[in-house]
Amino acid sequence: MKLTMASSPHNHSLKSVNKLMTCVMLACVPGILVQSYFFGIGVLAHLFLALVSVSVAEAAILKIRNRPIWPTLSDGSAWLTGVLIAVSIPPLAPWWIVVIGSVFAIIIVKQLYGGLGFNLFNPAMAAYVLLLISFPVQMTAWQPVNTLLATPLSMIDQLSIIFTESTQAGITLDIARQVIDGATGATPLDHVKTALSQNMTSSEAMDNIAFTRFAGEGWQWVNVAFLIGGLYLLKAKVINWHIPVAMLVSLGLCSTLGFIFGGHTGVAFHLLSGATMIGAFFIATDPVSASTTNRGRLIYGALIGLLVYLIRQFGGYPDAVAFSVLLMNMAVPLIDHYTQPRTYGHGARK
């Protein structure tokens, strides 16, 4: 029998990397469809741009490295990175945002480290943080759900804003983001964070047409859709339960304590806002950059949940999933080192 030495991801489900990546992308479909329903066709436009960009970038760098192109490209890891980038950026962001992020994720974060299995950081989240720091205006230009827009945008209008930054009628992104009361839209997390900094209570902050009883209008259903996809991944044994459960329990516990003792927003708001569910099931569970031991996965997930809460409440950015995941990616070698399972026979009498 031939012994093959290989780097992570290691799996014991008898599924190829291609099948695993395909399962994850299929699990993203409910979330993508719901996000497109509430926020428009821009989500699908960015998805197309991201898939093309990651494919071209992967093929180009593999050509430079004199590596076979199709066997590597067809494993689906680059396409999954493109999907995660596309759903993470504002639907009406300029087209070049998703192109820059996709190229950076594949060439710098993935291939320059050696390709799949060697990257230290989650490529999609590293690209997201690069874009957020470099282009904060474009990356925070989330519009409210379509039903709250002061000026309804057709499919052509949305594509025009993405590729030319305005419609034929002269409607720019800033105008398009205005809600029916004339105020500029913002993500629920950003709205609450700004309101709390102005000494408003969480109840006063959420007394707005952009909020439902539990979370932001539209955002709660996007999170529920990604939760459904995540449960499918658990049932199909594509991912382990340790990381998502630990992350959600940790975030839920922190938000409960914050609500009781600090008057902060409640559990439902944190669990159903922003990138919570896609972060728990699709991002934090990356088999390459996440912890590989069961105890380590619990610690890794719990610390991500803690960091998400702390950054959301006290940090400078409204949503914190990307920063939390990248910070914990750096801690993975240390976590794995101290959580290795006991070797069989360890401590037995000689």
Side-chain angles (χ1 to χ4, degrees), residues 157-211:
D157 289 336
Q158 295 176 54
L159 294 176
S160 181
I161 290 177
I162 292 173
F163 290 100
T164 67
E165 300 188 17
S166 68
T167 67
Q168 293 181 347
I171 298 176
T172 62
L173 179 57
D174 288 337
I175 298 175
R177 293 176 61 223
Q178 290 184 349
V179 294
I180 55 178
D181 61 1
T184 301
T187 65
L189 287 168
D190 187 44
H191 177 85
V192 169
K193 194 174 189 66
T194 302
L196 293 178
S197 68
Q198 297 173 347
N199 297 321
M200 297 175 63
T201 66
S202 59
S203 298
E204 292 172 339
M206 295 183 67
D207 185 19
N208 187 285
I209 59 174
F211 292 91

Side-chain angles (χ1 to χ4, degrees), residues 69-116:
I69 295 176
W70 181 245
T72 300
L73 187 60
S74 63
D75 67 19
S77 60
W79 298 332
L80 177 58
T81 297
V83 170
L84 296 177
I85 291 174
V87 299
S88 299
I89 64 175
L92 295 182
W95 63 271
W96 46 267
I97 287 286
V98 69
V99 173
I100 292 175
S102 300
V103 171
F104 176 82
I106 297 301
I107 294 180
I108 304 298
V109 186
K110 180 185 177 184
Q111 286 296 335
L112 288 189
Y113 277 97
L116 180 65

Side-chain angles (χ1 to χ4, degrees), residues 39-60:
F39 297 101
I41 199 69
V43 178
L44 300 180
H46 284 315
L47 179 61
F48 173 78
L49 288 171
L51 291 176
V52 172
S53 299
V54 296
S55 299
V56 172
E58 183 109 307

Side-chain angles (χ1 to χ4, degrees), residues 217-232:
E217 181 73 35
W219 288 93
Q220 59 182 356
W221 297 115
V222 173
N223 274 277
V224 169
F226 280 114
L227 171 61
I228 292 172
L231 294 177
Y232 161 74

